[in-house]
Amino acid sequence: MSFELYVDNLYTSPYALSAFVALTEKGLPFTVKTVDLESGAQRQAAYAERALTARVPALVEGDFVLTESSAITEYLDETFPAPEYVALYPKDRRQRARARQLQAWVRSDLVPVRVERDTETVFFGKPCSPLTETAQQAAAKLVHVAERFVQGPQHLFGAWSIADTDLAIMLSRLVRNGDPVPSKLQEYVDFQWQRPSVQAWLARHQPG
């Protein structure tokens, strides 16, 4: 069965990106449909009655509709497990827990960075002001935690996981805007950015 994935029409949601990457890595057939968030389409009955949290992404599989990106990636990994399909999470249970910890953290913390370095500054180069003191503190926390996890320029847990995509996109809010980030983390972001599944997302909103 083919899936439908609802994403924002500007392709700037890091959470929609995460679900898109998960489906792409799994090699599952899916079509992308967009929701105009600026016009409030996500709150209209046609969408909100199916996608109960009225957010993107939303994964549609027949009459089953699932929102919240980490729920989507966990569902896909359990439904289409390795070794037949690419694993989205580490095999080791503690590393898998760490990956989920990182996913939850980048979605729930660091609000000043997410506000002052929104993803339009990442994907479209939208101008932004220097970080406020509060955002600098959040950025310092992001860098501190990332340095504990990132041991090399490639993957957090020896092999790629969806947590690599999620952490790299969060770090890119600093890296792509020229904020001070250790070279190790810059190299990590650049490496993750070149992953074909991420490039497939970027190609959807690049000129030409």
Side-chain angles (χ1 to χ4, degrees):
M1 179 181 293
S2 178
F3 291 92
E4 292 178 349
L5 181 68
Y6 284 81
V7 307
D8 63 298
N9 63 309
L10 294 179
Y11 292 93
T12 57
S13 166
Y15 315 119
L17 182 158
S18 185
F20 178 94
V21 165
L23 284 161
T24 304
E25 293 286 345
K26 288 286 185 186
L28 299 170
F30 69 102
T31 57
V32 175
K33 296 191 174 183
T34 59
V35 180
D36 187 345
L37 302 184
E38 291 187 1
S39 71
Q42 71 277 20
R43 294 188 293 273
Q44 296 177 4
Y47 185 77
E49 287 181 3
R50 300 181 72 201
L52 294 181
T53 58
R55 304 208 295 180
V56 296
L59 180 73
V60 179
E61 182 186 16
D63 60 357
F64 178 65
V65 182
L66 185 65
T67 58
E68 306 308 314
S69 58
S70 58
I72 291 170
T73 56
E74 290 186 29
Y75 173 74
L76 292 173
D77 213 36
E78 292 175 1
T79 307
F80 303 95
E84 184 177 357
Y85 298 91
V86 170
L88 300 179
Y89 292 90
K91 182 177 180 180
D92 178 82
R93 64 185 180 89
R94 289 188 173 180
Q95 290 186 340
R96 189 164 60 250
R98 288 294 191 195
R100 289 170 171 160
Q101 175 188 6
L102 276 173
Q103 281 190 300
W105 178 61
V106 299
R107 285 158 172 74
S108 61
D109 199 356
L110 310 169
V111 173
V113 171
R114 288 189 274 132
V115 170
E116 296 185 28
R117 295 292 183 266
D118 65 51
T119 47
E120 287 190 30
T121 71
V122 176
F123 297 130
F124 299 144
K126 184 182 77 173
C128 55
S129 301
L131 291 171
T132 63
E133 183 177 351
T134 301
Q136 288 178 30
Q137 292 171 357
K141 182 179 181 181
L142 171 59
V143 168
H144 173 73
V145 173
E147 283 196 294
R148 293 287 298 274
F149 278 95
V150 176
Q151 300 303 314
Q154 297 188 359
H155 308 304
L156 297 171
F157 304 108
W160 177 85
S161 76
I162 194 66
D164 283 299
T165 298
D166 290 344
L167 180 60
I169 294 302
M170 176 57 80
L171 284 167
S172 71
R173 295 172 187 265
L174 302 180
V175 171
R176 296 295 185 239
N177 285 296
D179 296 305
V181 174
S183 59
K184 177 178 70 172
L185 299 183
Q186 294 181 30
E187 292 170 4
Y188 171 77
V189 168
D190 291 341
F191 184 85
Q192 296 302 325
W193 204 261
Q194 294 307 313
R195 194 164 184 88
S197 55
V198 176
Q199 287 293 308
W201 171 269
L202 296 175
R204 289 177 171 266
H205 57 52
Q206 294 303 313

